[in-house]
Amino acid sequence: MPNPKRKFSKSRRDKRRTHYKAEAPTLTTCKTTGAVHLPHRAYTVDGNVYYNGKLLIEKTAVA
């Protein structure tokens, strides 16, 4: 198994890792419910499941 010939300095290692950073997720606001959610994903509002502004699954009343 190959091993490095010389030790990489901390600055050289950190320069390589500068591109690995966390990005804030892009969020969209629903025109129907006003809920903030991830785009192209289903989301819940008061127990109801919505996708693309349309009601998919309605919450059922538990007796």
Side-chain angles (χ1 to χ4, degrees):
M1 189 155 186
N3 288 321
K5 211 164 213 176
R6 287 184 201 88
K7 179 181 179 178
F8 267 59
S9 68
K10 292 174 196 136
S11 64
R12 193 175 193 93
R13 175 200 66 200
D14 293 343
K15 282 179 195 174
R16 186 182 68 244
R17 294 180 181 172
T18 57
H19 303 291
Y20 303 132
K21 52 189 149 199
E23 294 180 1
T26 55
L27 298 173
T28 58
T29 307
C30 178
K31 295 174 187 172
T32 309
T33 61
V36 178
H37 62 92
L38 290 170
H40 306 289
R41 283 170 178 77
Y43 55 96
T44 59
V45 177
D46 298 329
N48 298 328
V49 179
Y50 289 87
Y51 180 75
N52 203 16
K54 297 173 187 146
L55 181 65
L56 285 183
I57 302 170
E58 193 170 356
K59 183 179 179 182
T60 58
V62 178

